Amino acid sequence: NAGVMQNPRHLVRRRGQEARLRCSPMKGHSHVYWYRQLPEEGLKFMVYLQKENIIDESGMPKERFSAEFPKEGPSILRIQQVVRGDSAAYFCASSPGDSSYNEQFFGPGTRLTVL
Amino acid sequence: GENVEQHPSTLSVQEGDSAVIKCTYSDSASNYFPWYKQELGKRPQLIIDIRSNVGEKKDQRIAVTLNKTAKHFSLHITETQPEDSAVYFCAANHGNQFYFGTGTSLTVIP
């Protein structure tokens, strides 16, 4: 049973370009979370999605950032017109979502560097 | 919303000693409390969790305690080893919302 997959593992973009980060949840998991982690800091919640629905995007900047989790395919975190401050590790996590206790498992992360 | 506080932010112990990390939470409806270990450059890994219907859980050298009345939970690592060195995060879960502490950087000195 493959774990949470993320790609790319490393992404380099120049200021003003777009970054697309992909996350495939564990098999059987229908809930996806995205977190941002700056060096030597904690995990900051960004957005929580179920298939075709954004449940909570309270942690996501209002501009330039968007997320989706289509019926088919991976969840996508999209950052438009990247700036140097977007450089960070972006982790996604998935959970089954079918019980009152939901273990959350993390992917390996995408390390975004903005030049 | 939920607010999770974690202490200490850094912790150094001699190999073989015990380490304790404490977290508090604010929402009494939170009912699931996982702990994650993150090694440098790696993903957070779930190491132990506790649900609100129990007060203590143990897995070899790792144990977690939960005090629902006081709204705090703790991670205990006994007989620490150098490979325990990492950043540890606590979290509180209510429904499908997870709230993380700010992390504790544990260093085990050989």
Side-chain angles (χ1 to χ4, degrees):
Chain A
N1 184 16
V4 180
M5 308 289 285
Q6 285 187 253
N7 68 82
R9 296 291 305 276
H10 299 273
L11 182 61
V12 178
R13 285 287 178 266
R14 297 191 181 277
R15 281 179 297 169
Q17 292 184 320
E18 178 180 286
R20 278 181 166 248
L21 288 62
R22 284 174 286 276
C23 170
S24 296
M26 287 180 68
K27 186 177 180 180
H29 286 192
S30 60
H31 294 217
V32 166
Y33 306 77
W34 285 94
Y35 296 88
R36 177 161 65 178
Q37 187 176 40
L38 295 170
E40 300 185 8
E41 292 192 10
L43 294 156
K44 299 294 186 185
F45 168 77
M46 298 182 73
V47 61
Y48 157 49
L49 310 101
Q50 297 178 18
K51 283 283 187 180
E52 299 184 279
N53 282 305
I54 297 174
I55 307 302
D56 183 349
E57 56 182 349
S58 59
M60 202 150 69
K62 293 287 185 288
E63 298 179 351
R64 301 191 297 109
F65 285 73
S66 62
E68 63 177 7
F69 189 14
K71 187 177 180 181
E72 301 290 338
S75 175
I76 306 283
L77 179 67
R78 183 180 175 205
I79 311 172
Q80 295 178 293
Q81 299 174 343
V82 295
V83 301
R84 289 219 173 101
D86 296 333
S87 295
Y90 291 83
F91 289 95
C92 83
S94 72
S95 69
D98 57 358
S99 73
S100 59
Y101 303 120
N102 285 297
E103 294 178 348
Q104 191 175 90
F105 297 93
F106 282 83
T110 293
R111 279 152 185 81
L112 172 66
T113 302
V114 180
L115 301 178
Chain B
E2 175 67 277
N3 180 42
V4 177
E5 295 190 357
Q6 183 172 346
H7 301 280
S9 57
T10 59
L11 178 61
S12 291
V13 299
Q14 292 288 335
E15 183 177 359
D17 287 350
S18 295
V20 181
I21 302 170
K22 298 181 180 181
C23 287
T24 61
Y25 62 99
S26 59
D27 188 349
S28 58
S30 291
N31 58 6
Y32 171 61
F33 306 90
W35 285 89
Y36 291 86
K37 175 184 180 182
Q38 187 178 28
E39 297 176 352
L40 189 63
K42 300 284 183 65
R43 77 182 79 188
Q45 296 267 22
L46 179 68
I47 56 170
I48 195 167
D49 55 18
I50 191 166
R51 309 191 194 289
S52 60
N53 57 349
V54 299
E56 184 174 0
K57 182 177 178 180
K58 190 173 182 181
D59 182 3
Q60 299 182 348
R61 297 186 298 108
I62 295 174
V64 57
T65 58
L66 171 65
N67 183 327
K68 285 193 297 182
T69 303
K71 296 201 200 64
H72 66 70
F73 56 113
S74 301
L75 177 70
H76 304 251
I77 307 174
T78 59
E79 300 172 23
T80 53
Q81 302 168 3
E83 51 265 38
D84 294 331
S85 296
V87 178
Y88 292 81
F89 293 97
C90 64
N93 169 233
H94 174 214
N96 284 305
Q97 306 290 349
F98 285 82
Y99 302 88
F100 282 82
T102 50
T104 296
S105 178
L106 173 65
T107 302
V108 179
I109 303 165

